[in-house]
Amino acid sequence: MTTVTTVTGAAERESVAVSELSRDPEGVVARVATLGRLRITDPGAPDLVLATAAHEAYDVEGLTVVARLSLALMRQDGAAAALLPALVEVYPWARHLGVDEGSAFAGELLAALAEVTDPGAGDAVRRVITSWRATAATNVAPEPPTDPPRPPNGA
């Protein structure tokens, strides 16, 4: 039995159960060739994605264009000041970063994006975002009390 999942958004995504891959590998490969990408689901394991090399190349090309355009825009006068509000729009937690921290986050993110075509670049971008999200969470965490709580009067 084939499990088909549709995800709303820019593109529809289909998926098949891993059992379908073992039962009908040629049919699954044909679907990958037609769709460009197909998610393989297994209830006991993380999903896998099969993609054609051409589809993957289009994804890398799109990321490269976005990264290069972002870097070029950042070189324009006044762009750094505009980037901080944009970061907060994309990452609402970034509002908890100070100005210097926000600038550092932007710089690290842009540096990681500049390497988007290198193997492992996605991991570098994810590490930057995860690290700065943790910093923002630390900035809003309540400080532990310095004195132990006192019992109420009369207790």
Side-chain angles (χ1 to χ4, degrees), residues 38-64:
L38 186 65
R39 182 177 301 269
I40 309 298
T41 61
D42 183 349
D47 289 355
L48 303 173
V49 176
L50 294 177
T52 64
H55 196 277
E56 190 67 18
Y58 295 142
D59 285 352
V60 170
E61 181 181 9
L63 287 172
T64 301

Side-chain angles (χ1 to χ4, degrees), residues 120-133:
D123 291 336
V125 171
R126 193 171 13 263
R127 278 191 303 273
V128 168
I129 293 168
T130 301
S131 172
W132 283 105
R133 183 183 300 129

Side-chain angles (χ1 to χ4, degrees), residues 45-107:
D47 289 355
L48 303 173
V49 176
L50 294 177
T52 64
H55 196 277
E56 190 67 18
Y58 295 142
D59 285 352
V60 170
E61 181 181 9
L63 287 172
T64 301
V65 167
V66 169
R68 287 180 178 168
L69 185 57
S70 297
L71 291 170
L73 287 170
M74 286 311 301
R75 290 185 194 109
Q76 305 302 312
D77 290 339
L83 182 60
L84 295 178
L87 280 175
V88 170
E89 185 174 326
V90 175
Y91 302 108
W93 49 261
R95 72 182 184 277
H96 300 294
L97 298 174
V99 174
D100 290 342
E101 290 173 326
S103 295
F105 171 45

Side-chain angles (χ1 to χ4, degrees), residues 19-45:
S19 58
E20 181 77 14
L21 180 60
S22 60
R23 273 197 313 272
D24 183 17
E26 292 85 10
V28 171
V29 168
R31 288 180 69 188
V32 171
T34 300
L35 298 170
R37 176 178 290 165
L38 186 65
R39 182 177 301 269
I40 309 298
T41 61
D42 183 349

